[in-house]
Amino acid sequence: MKPHRIRMTHNLVISYELYKKMSIYRAAPATCQEMTQFHSDDYVDFLNRVTPENASSFQRELARYNFEDDCPVFDGMFDLFSLSAGSSMEGAARLNRGLSDICINWSGGLHHAKKCEASGFCYINDIVLAILELLRHHQRVLYIDIDVHHGDGVEEAFYTTDRVMTCSFHKYGEFFPGTGDLRDIGEGKGKYYAVNFPLRDGIDDVSYQSVFKPVIQHIMDWYQPNAVVLQCGTDSLAGDKLGCFNLSMDGHAECVRFVKNFNLPTLVLGGGGYTIRNVSRVWAYETGILVGSEMDRKLPMNDYMDYYAPEYSLNVPAYNVENCNSAEYLERMTNQVIQNLERTKFVPSVQVQDVPRDVDNDIHDEDALDPEERMPEPVRDQHVVPDTEMYDADAMGLKDETRDGTKVINEEIHDKDDVEMEDVTNGANKATAESSIVDADEQPSKGASKEDAMDVDGAEVVPETAVKEEAAPVVPAKGDEGKEKAEEETVAVKVEKDAAPAPATAEPLADKQPAAAEPVEAGKETAAAAAPVAETPNVKAQSKTKETEEVPEPPAAQITTITSPQAPAETQSLAAETPKLPAETPRLPAIAQVAEKEEGEATEDDDDDEEGEIKDS
C-alpha cells in the first residue's frame, strides 16, 4: 500500500503516452469537514493530530481506533489519505457535472476503513465519500469490488439503503476480514441490495468471468444504476504476496472492459495489491483500456525498468496452481445470487428534491495565468491530443522533455525561424535565405526565359573560385533606356551589417545565362538576390538540406516575393541576421564577361521579349 506503486503506475502511463488521451485534474485534498460526511468528528480530529513523535500520548485512542498491527501511525499519514479522498470526491463531482465519462484515481479504493476506525491499511474510506457525492445527482449507484478481500467498509456504510447496491467478488473463509458470506444481503430497505459472491483459492480467468459477467449483467438489467464505482484491487492477481487467486492481467482487465461497455458514468479506483511490479503494469494496462488505446506488451523505457526484469513485459501471466472452485460450486453460487437479485426487479425510486448547487472548480483565473507561457499548466492538463493528430504532442505548440525521470510537455518551441517570423511586420510573409534561391531543376527564376529553366546540367554554373566578396555591378543593355530606370531600384546588399547597398545597374544576360536581377521584397533575404543565377553546388546543397528539415513553413518553390518601391533601411540588419548564409556574397565577374562577349549577339527583339516577361512577373 506504499505510494511507490502509484509512482510506478504513473511512470508507465507517461511512458506509454496515455496521458495524451485524457485530461488531468489536480484535485485538492479533502478537508476535515468533507471527511466527516462519513467518518466521526473525533476520529478525523485524532487522525489529523497524531504523529509518530506524539503517538505515545494517544495510547487510549490508538486502541480505540484500531491503530494497531496493520494500521500503524506514520509520517504524512493525514496528508496522504486526504489527497486520496479528495481525488475520489473530485472525480465523482466531475461525473455529476457531466465533465467526464470516466474518472480514474489509482490512489483510491480504500474499502476497509470504517466510520470510527481504521482497518486493513485503510484509514479514510474514499469510496464511501465518493458515492455520497454521486448520490447528490444520481438516484442509484452500483459499487463493484474485484479485490481479493471483501469490501466490508463500503458494504457496512450502505447496508440499510436501496440507493446503493454493493457487489463484491472475494475470497471467503479463514481470510481477512472474515465477512462477505453469501447470506449477507442487507437489512431494512437495503435487503437484497448487498451482493456477495464468496470464492475459493486458485480461481482462474475462465472461472472468474463465468460468474462475474452474468451477475453484473443481471444487476444492470434489474437495478438499472445511474453511475458505477469500480474498485480494481490487484491483490486478486496471480503471485500477489497476500492474495490467493490466480487471475492474469487479461482476466483482471476483462472485468474493467465489461463494465466500461455499459457506457455509464464510471469512477475507477485502485485498491489492494502487494506485488508492486504487477500492480503498476495492470493498472497501466487498464488505463489503456479505459482510454481506448492499444498497448505494446513490450515495456517502453521507464524509470523503474529493473523492477520488471527479466522479461520486461507488460503481461502478468497466471500460475500453474490448483483451482479449488469447481464448476458445480460456481454454478450453485451463481444461481443463488441471481435468485436474490430477482427480488430487486422493481427499480427503487427516489423522492424528487432540489439538487444542491455545485461549485465549479474548473474555472481558472485568466489573470493568474502566465501571459508569457503559450499553454499554461491548467490548460495543458485538460488538453486531449486528437487521435487523428499526425505528429507528436507538439500539436499544443509544445515539445516533450524528460525531467527527473518524468516525461513532461511544458517547453515552448522557440527556434530562430520563429523569432525572426515574429519580427516581420505589416503582414509580410516570412521566407528563409534558401527560399529565395530556387533550384534550377525545380522552378525557374521569375522573369527568366525558357532556356533559363533548363536543368542544372545545361545551366551555366559559376565555379567556386570565381566567387568574390561583393556583388558585381551590372550595366543596362544597349537600347534599353526604359529598363535602366526600373532596375535602378533593385538593391544588392552585402551580408555584413555595415555594408552599403551596391548600385543596382545589372545588365540583362543572354538567353543561356540566368535571368536578370529578380525583384526582392523589402526585409527579405536580399543577399544572393542581386543577380539570381543558376546556384552553385554548395548553395544548392544548403537549399536541399534546408528542405529536408522538419520546419512547418511553406516550401521554397511556393514562395513569391515582390519588391517594394524602395528597400527600407532595416533591410541591411535583417539580411545580416539571416541564418545559414555563406560568409561572402557571390560576385559574378565571369558572368559579366560572358555578357560582354555575347552583347553583340543580342538583338532588339530579344530585349523586348525579356522586358515583357519581367513586367508580367
Side-chain angles (χ1 to χ4, degrees):
M1 296 296 288
K2 293 182 178 180
H4 185 62
R5 62 187 189 143
I6 310 299
R7 189 180 299 112
M8 292 176 60
T9 303
H10 174 74
N11 194 263
L12 279 182
V13 169
I14 297 297
S15 298
Y16 275 105
E17 298 186 344
L18 299 176
Y19 66 93
K20 298 178 182 179
K21 299 181 179 296
M22 64 179 114
S23 300
I24 300 173
Y25 189 84
R26 305 172 191 271
T31 63
C32 293
Q33 183 179 3
E34 291 173 336
M35 295 180 187
T36 54
Q37 295 181 53
F38 171 62
H39 296 283
S40 62
D41 294 350
D42 54 349
Y43 173 73
V44 174
D45 180 67
F46 165 75
L47 198 65
N48 189 20
R49 291 188 294 115
V50 67
T51 63
E53 290 76 15
N54 62 11
S56 57
S57 60
F58 292 98
Q59 292 297 326
R60 181 179 178 182
E61 288 81 359
L62 290 175
R64 175 184 176 185
Y65 299 127
N66 195 29
F67 275 71
E68 298 176 352
D69 299 331
D70 56 356
C71 294
V73 178
F74 58 89
D75 286 327
M77 177 177 60
F78 184 81
D79 295 336
L80 173 64
F81 295 111
S82 61
L83 280 172
S84 172
S87 300
S88 297
M89 294 179 67
E90 184 58 40
R94 291 179 67 84
L95 294 177
N96 287 342
R97 296 194 292 269
L99 300 177
S100 302
D101 298 320
I102 299 174
C103 291
I104 306 172
N105 175 28
W106 293 127
S107 65
L110 308 180
H111 57 172
H112 292 307
K114 308 293 197 306
K115 182 179 179 66
C116 298
E117 67 177 53
S119 176
F121 313 129
C122 303
Y123 298 76
I124 294 293
N125 199 317
D126 65 292
I127 304 175
V128 174
L129 295 174
I131 293 177
L132 290 175
E133 181 68 25
L134 289 172
L135 290 175
R136 300 172 73 243
H137 286 254
H138 300 284
Q139 298 182 18
R140 295 171 298 279
V141 176
L142 171 63
Y143 169 71
I144 304 174
D145 194 320
I146 57 176
D147 195 291
V148 73
H149 301 97
H150 177 233
D152 55 334
V154 182
E155 181 183 273
E156 179 181 302
F158 302 106
Y159 202 62
T160 59
T161 179
D162 57 359
R163 293 193 61 189
V164 178
M165 176 174 283
T166 60
C167 180
S168 178
F169 300 84
H170 54 270
K171 168 71 166 64
Y172 178 73
E174 295 180 359
F175 196 73
F176 180 85
T179 56
D181 185 40
L182 178 66
R183 293 168 292 183
D184 296 338
I185 56 176
E187 294 180 359
K189 282 186 70 175
K191 192 173 184 179
Y192 302 115
Y193 290 96
V195 179
N196 289 295
F197 202 112
L199 297 169
R200 298 172 180 173
D201 293 352
I203 188 169
D204 55 21
D205 295 347
V206 176
S207 299
Y208 199 90
Q209 297 303 320
S210 67
V211 299
F212 180 84
K213 291 184 176 181
V215 170
I216 298 301
Q217 186 64 57
H218 280 87
I219 292 175
M220 292 292 181
D221 294 339
W222 294 340
Y223 186 64
Q224 299 179 14
N226 305 115
V228 178
V229 177
L230 177 61
Q231 199 265 17
C232 301
T234 55
D235 47 10
S236 54
L237 292 170
D240 189 82
K241 295 179 179 179
L242 298 183
C244 56
F245 287 174
N246 192 30
L247 297 181
S248 68
M249 181 183 72
D250 294 312
H252 193 276
E254 182 61 28
C255 300
V256 178
R257 183 181 288 108
F258 184 75
V259 174
K260 177 193 173 185
N261 291 336
F262 288 102
N263 296 322
L264 293 173
T266 304
L267 177 63
V268 181
L269 305 174
Y274 309 97
T275 304
I276 58 176
R277 62 193 301 266
N278 294 343
V279 174
S280 57
R281 288 186 287 183
V282 171
W283 283 349
Y285 180 68
E286 291 173 350
T287 303
I289 290 177
L290 293 171
V291 300
S293 177
E294 294 292 334
M295 300 173 63
D296 188 0
R297 293 302 176 99
K298 182 178 180 181
L299 288 176
M301 288 301 300
N302 58 85
D303 297 341
Y304 305 99
M305 206 66 180
D306 293 341
Y307 282 81
Y308 309 113
E311 66 276 3
Y312 302 105
S313 172
L314 181 67
N315 188 45
V316 179
Y319 290 176
N320 187 17
V321 298
E322 180 185 1
N323 184 2
C324 299
N325 299 270
S326 63
E328 294 78 10
Y329 170 76
L330 294 177
E331 183 179 1
R332 187 174 72 254
M333 292 292 104
T334 303
N335 293 335
Q336 185 62 47
V337 168
I338 294 177
Q339 182 179 350
N340 292 337
L341 288 174
E342 287 181 351
R343 301 173 182 268
T344 65
K345 283 184 178 180
F346 301 100
V347 179
S349 60
V350 179
Q351 183 178 359
V352 178
Q353 57 186 353
D354 292 335
V355 177
R357 184 176 64 88
D358 288 319
V359 178
D360 192 355
N361 296 325
D362 295 330
I363 299 178
H364 303 286
D365 186 8
E366 294 184 357
D367 295 335
L369 301 178
D370 186 3
E372 300 297 331
E373 190 175 2
R374 182 176 301 179
M375 181 171 287
E377 183 180 73
V379 180
R380 186 167 61 250
D381 286 343
Q382 299 181 18
H383 180 80
V384 178
V385 178
D387 293 334
T388 56
E389 194 61 68
M390 298 303 295
Y391 49 99
D392 205 353
D394 324 303
M396 304 178 289
L398 307 171
K399 65 180 180 181
D400 292 345
E401 183 187 55
T402 301
R403 289 182 178 177
D404 300 330
T406 302
K407 191 173 183 183
V408 295
I409 45 173
N410 59 355
E411 288 295 324
E412 300 183 14
I413 299 176
H414 287 301
D415 55 16
K416 186 177 295 184
D417 292 338
D418 293 336
V419 175
E420 292 180 357
M421 187 174 293
E422 293 174 0
D423 294 337
V424 177
T425 57
N426 300 327
N429 292 326
K430 174 65 181 161
T432 60
E434 287 77 11
S435 64
S436 296
I437 305 174
V438 182
D439 196 346
D441 59 358
E442 293 179 358
Q443 174 178 339
S445 302
K446 274 288 181 181
S449 59
K450 293 183 179 179
E451 288 78 7
D452 297 328
M454 65 176 60
D455 56 15
V456 179
D457 294 335
E460 293 257 348
V461 180
V462 181
E464 295 183 12
T465 58
V467 178
K468 300 299 181 180
E469 181 178 358
E470 299 177 355
V474 277
V475 183
K478 295 181 180 179
D480 200 5
E481 298 290 337
K483 185 178 179 181
E484 178 181 0
K485 182 178 180 180
E487 295 207 351
E488 285 179 355
E489 299 174 1
T490 303
V491 185
V493 181
K494 187 180 176 182
V495 177
E496 286 76 12
K497 291 185 178 180
D498 300 332
T505 56
E507 177 183 14
L509 305 179
D511 293 339
K512 289 186 178 180
Q513 68 188 51
E518 177 184 354
V520 181
E521 182 181 357
K524 300 304 178 180
E525 293 69 25
T526 54
V533 298
E535 56 190 30
T536 63
N538 289 342
V539 177
K540 180 180 178 181
Q542 293 178 8
S543 177
K544 287 185 176 296
T545 302
K546 183 66 177 179
E547 291 172 3
T548 58
E549 295 181 1
E550 297 180 358
V551 180
E553 59 184 37
Q558 299 179 2
I559 297 178
T560 303
T561 56
I562 303 174
T563 275
S564 299
Q566 188 171 358
E570 64 182 271
T571 305
Q572 299 181 16
S573 60
L574 287 176
E577 296 174 2
T578 302
K580 295 186 179 181
L581 280 180
E584 299 178 349
T585 304
R587 182 180 181 182
L588 311 172
I591 294 180
Q593 295 175 8
V594 175
E596 291 176 359
K597 291 180 181 181
E598 297 179 357
E599 183 177 355
E601 300 176 5
T603 62
E604 194 71 20
D605 295 335
D606 295 332
D607 295 332
D608 294 338
D609 294 339
E610 186 174 0
E611 179 180 1
E613 292 177 1
I614 293 176
K615 290 181 178 180
D616 292 339
S617 64

